[in-house]
Amino acid sequence: EIENFGICGSAAGMITSVPYARTLRFQQSLDYKPDIVFLMLGTNDAAGAWNEEEYRQGMTQIIHAYQNHKTKPEVILLTSPEVFKDRNSYGICRKTLDTKLIPSQRAIAASCGISCIDIYESSKKYGEHFPDGVHPDETGNYYITIACAEIL
């Protein structure tokens, strides 16, 4: 059984407008007793002023919450997909994503000893399936799902 506990607009950082670790959905994801957790979180952290330390701490806290869970789920980090419009209505800066967020996501996965699926690179060939330049449509979601299935 697969369940989605994501929240649009949430971020890993704790000083953001919607810190994921403080949401009911995060607690529900822990209560769900998962075997595998696919975690794609960070694109919203690239909106506005980038704070590397805040992002790293928030993501690490979330990852450790799953790693320390009594079910000991496998945690797999997905990098954020490419941002195809630099001037998007969400304030997400493509350069910050490209040069700061994606390298940070890869480094966090390595430091936490978890697998990382590079959605950023694989999404580059599917820009037409991100109609607002940030969020995938149904076909874009399908390609992300396929990338996750391949690791299993």
Side-chain angles (χ1 to χ4, degrees):
E1 186 174 315
I2 297 171
E3 191 69 38
N4 181 352
F5 292 97
I7 300 175
C8 288
S10 66
M14 296 302 280
I15 57 173
T16 59
S17 60
V18 185
Y20 185 70
R22 291 187 181 149
T23 67
L24 177 60
R25 293 297 285 164
F26 175 61
Q27 186 56 54
Q28 290 170 334
S29 76
L30 293 169
D31 294 343
Y32 185 71
K33 301 177 184 158
D35 296 315
I36 301 172
V37 174
F38 289 98
L39 186 59
M40 185 162 66
L41 190 61
T43 304
N44 292 311
D45 292 274
W50 169 250
N51 186 326
E52 172 81 25
E53 185 60 21
E54 178 67 19
Y55 177 72
R56 187 191 62 72
Q57 286 179 1
M59 275 303 285
T60 301
Q61 175 187 347
I62 292 166
I63 291 167
H64 286 163
Y66 290 116
Q67 288 178 321
N68 296 327
H69 192 276
K70 61 185 170 191
T71 63
K72 300 292 183 199
E74 178 180 4
V75 181
I76 302 167
L77 182 64
L78 283 65
T79 63
S80 296
E82 173 68 275
V83 169
F84 295 95
K85 291 182 182 172
D86 209 16
R87 295 186 182 268
N88 55 73
S89 60
Y90 307 99
I92 297 166
C93 178
R94 184 177 188 176
K95 184 176 179 182
T96 299
L97 187 120
D98 293 350
T99 64
K100 303 203 186 281
L101 176 63
I102 300 303
S104 182
Q105 289 174 325
R106 292 173 180 149
I108 290 166
S111 72
C112 290
I114 64 174
S115 297
C116 183
I117 300 175
D118 201 338
I119 299 301
Y120 173 75
E121 284 299 326
S122 65
S123 68
K124 286 183 175 185
K125 55 188 166 204
Y126 304 115
E128 70 275 13
H129 297 294
F130 289 76
D132 65 359
V134 177
H135 298 98
D137 61 15
E138 190 173 319
T139 303
N141 279 325
Y142 170 79
Y143 289 125
I144 292 169
T145 303
I146 294 301
C148 293
E150 287 175 355
I151 201 168
L152 300 177

